Amino acid sequence: MNNTIDGIYYDMLIMDNIKTKEDAIKYISNYLENKGYVNEQYVNATIKREHVYPTGLATKPIGIAVPHSERENVIEPAVIMGILKKPIEFCKMEDSKSKINVGVVFLLALKGENSHLNYLRNIVNYCKDEENLKKLYYAESKDEAYKIFMSQILKFD
């Protein structure tokens, strides 16, 4: 399976034993750093940005988050979806003092391709529908979740 489309790498991870938003960001960022997609500053820059500009969205039945960093920390562009076995707390995007339980994290490592906003729009449009999000979060397998991610969220056939 080729996970690269138009020069952007896509993948999805199932994340066990993640207890904090920092752990989730580290887990996905380290995965990308080991593959050569982001530099060693990416993880800390993304965590720092998440503390200043939270990315949690209170979708139902489970929240989502869309952390990202500045383009100078990206070597090659990538978008990774991580499904958490146990939800973790993120701060809400529109109210940094409010916390929500997040079960799906979309980490964006982009240099400007289609901008973060286009990805965010596709993610939010899909995840604001409760039935869609249930189908994704409770997918029976990693393959099924990946197919939803690629075809229904990102709109690749």
Side-chain angles (χ1 to χ4, degrees):
M1 164 170 51
N2 181 3
N3 292 9
T4 302
I5 299 172
D6 296 330
I8 302 173
Y9 177 74
Y10 300 94
D11 207 349
M12 75 90 38
L13 306 169
I14 304 291
M15 300 190 299
D16 286 324
N17 303 316
I18 302 292
K19 303 212 180 328
T20 67
K21 65 185 171 207
E22 292 83 3
D23 289 345
I25 291 168
K26 282 180 192 169
Y27 186 90
I28 301 171
S29 297
N30 289 341
Y31 174 80
L32 285 176
E33 186 180 344
N34 290 337
K35 290 185 159 291
Y37 287 96
V38 298
N39 64 24
E40 59 277 357
Q41 286 82 37
Y42 185 87
V43 64
N44 289 331
T46 304
I47 290 170
K48 185 176 177 182
R49 188 187 186 291
E50 186 66 30
H51 287 154
V52 176
Y53 303 106
T55 64
L57 295 166
T59 50
K60 302 271 189 235
I62 192 76
I64 65 169
V66 192
H68 51 281
S69 177
E70 291 74 28
R71 65 184 349 157
E72 63 263 16
N73 297 313
V74 176
I75 298 167
E76 294 293 331
V79 177
I80 307 295
M81 178 180 71
I83 296 180
L84 295 145
K85 288 292 191 180
K86 287 182 141 180
I88 57 174
E89 277 190 350
F90 270 77
C91 293
K92 283 174 75 173
M93 186 182 289
E94 62 277 2
D95 177 10
S96 63
K97 296 195 184 345
S98 295
K99 306 235 187 286
I100 56 168
N101 287 324
V102 165
V104 184
V105 176
F106 296 91
L107 187 114
L108 308 179
L110 299 169
K111 294 175 142 187
E113 302 82 4
N114 294 326
S115 87
H116 289 81
L117 293 177
N118 289 339
Y119 284 97
L120 189 56
R121 181 175 41 252
N122 285 354
I123 290 165
V124 170
N125 283 343
Y126 180 85
C127 293
K128 70 182 178 186
D129 181 293
E130 192 170 333
E131 290 306 311
N132 283 348
L133 192 51
K134 279 184 191 173
K135 196 166 48 171
L136 176 65
Y137 187 66
Y138 297 110
E140 304 240 343
S141 68
K142 181 178 175 175
D143 284 344
E144 182 183 335
Y146 182 77
K147 284 178 188 161
I148 292 169
F149 177 48
M150 295 304 290
S151 66
Q152 296 179 33
I153 298 173
L154 299 177
K155 311 266 192 239
F156 293 118
D157 292 324

